[in-house]
Every structure is written in C-alpha cells, then in structure tokens.
Amino acid sequence: MQTSLFLSRAAAIAALVHAATACPQPAAPEASRATTTIYRQVMPDGQIVYSDKMLKGARVDETIAMEHPIKGNLWTTESGTRPLVAPRSTSTPVNKVASIPAPGEKRSLDAATSDVIHAEMLLEDAKKRQEAGVTPLPGERTGNSGGGSRLNEAYHARQQALANDVATAEAALKKAIANRDALR
C-alpha cells in the first residue's frame, strides 16, 4: 500500500498502520505485538511518500517503527514503551489566602502580623525575581542588519510580567498592613 503526502504526516502513518493491522494476524501473543516499519521516502521528483514497502528509485529519508494497537481489554493490557520526554519542572506561584473569620469573630493581632510578614517575604521574592530577570534569556534578542542585536517583545513581555508580580505583592502587603492596623 502506498500513500502520498497529500494528507498530514500523522494521517499518512495512521492510514498505513491501520492497513497493516487490518490484515489477519497470527494468534501467537508475541506476534501480535510485532512492529510495522513505515518508510518516509523522497521520490526523484521531490514528492514525499509514506509506505510500508521500499519504492524503486526513492531515497529513504526516515524509518518509523510502529507497534500494532493493543487489542483486547485495555485496562489490563500493558502499553508499549513510554516516549522519551525530558522531565520538566516549572514553578507555580502560590498565593496564600488569609483565613476568613466566621461572622462576628475577629482575627487575632498575631494572625494579622503573620500575614504582614508573609506579604513582606512575597514582595522580597518578587523583587529578587525581577532583579534576576534583567538578563535576557535565550530567544529574547533579535539580530539587526548591522550585526548587533536588540531586545525583542518576549523580553519586554517577561519584564512586564515581573513588574506586575511586584505590584501585586506590594498591593497585598498594603492590604495586610491595613488589616493589621485596623486590629490595633
């Protein structure tokens, strides 16, 4: 079966895998987990063809090994190998929500003072992140025709986000101080 790239790459590969799995398969369990090899081939005229067979005159650009889909009860069947994806970790800012006192109940001065200290620490952290974020990151510079470079929109957007974090932390500190002073 031959499929030319008039569809997307994923659609062509899916069609080939479907065609390969539609054929009757041996009953042996290890044979049912066999892989299908799909070749991405470049024809002499430049046309890209995905096929499970080598074509005459075509240059193999890429070889893709596809496992057959799992048949049977998907809840008890082991999946294939996991894709190799590098683990990523991104920090998520956590904003503490002060506990809301029950109606008619006042917050203690100690709790309000604790909120002020926490807000001061958040402001300090936001200012340190803003100070450390002055250095451009990779991809935040655009080359000029004169051989130099300039800071691009990504850098300015990141700086604006850091400034917004500082402004939010300052507003939270002012609110915490006002709440504490109201209890005094």
Side-chain angles (χ1 to χ4, degrees):
M1 173 181 176
Q2 296 178 8
T3 304
S4 61
L5 188 63
F6 294 120
L7 302 172
S8 69
R9 175 181 183 200
I13 292 172
L16 284 170
V17 169
H18 176 69
T21 58
C23 300
Q25 302 219 354
E30 56 275 350
S32 66
R33 297 287 295 175
T35 59
T36 299
T37 303
I38 299 172
Y39 303 100
R40 180 181 191 266
Q41 303 172 55
V42 180
M43 299 302 286
D45 63 351
Q47 182 183 12
I48 296 175
V49 177
Y50 288 90
S51 176
D52 55 349
K53 295 177 180 60
M54 300 286 289
L55 301 176
K56 185 176 180 181
R59 176 179 54 88
V60 175
D61 189 41
E62 184 178 355
T63 303
I64 304 164
M66 301 288 299
E67 284 189 12
H68 292 290
I70 300 170
K71 294 186 180 182
N73 185 352
L74 296 179
W75 295 101
T76 60
T77 308
E78 288 293 321
S79 64
T81 58
R82 294 185 63 177
L84 298 175
V85 177
R88 295 185 297 174
S89 64
T90 55
S91 61
T92 304
V94 177
N95 295 328
K96 179 184 174 198
V97 177
S99 60
I100 301 171
E105 179 184 321
K106 288 188 121 184
R107 292 196 63 201
S108 69
L109 184 59
D110 289 339
T113 304
S114 172
D115 288 343
V116 169
I117 293 170
H118 185 261
E120 287 172 342
M121 291 189 315
L122 289 176
L123 177 60
E124 184 179 336
D125 288 345
K127 285 182 178 180
K128 285 181 181 178
R129 282 194 313 271
Q130 185 179 30
E131 191 176 301
V134 171
T135 305
L137 298 175
E140 291 184 340
R141 287 194 164 275
T142 303
N144 292 338
S145 61
S149 66
R150 66 174 179 83
L151 298 171
N152 61 21
E153 295 79 25
Y155 174 81
H156 296 297
R158 189 170 58 85
Q159 293 304 311
Q160 184 63 42
L162 291 170
N164 289 343
D165 289 347
V166 170
T168 302
E170 287 173 343
L173 176 60
K174 286 180 184 178
K175 183 177 178 182
I177 290 172
N179 289 341
R180 182 196 61 194
D181 290 347
L183 291 174
R184 285 188 173 171

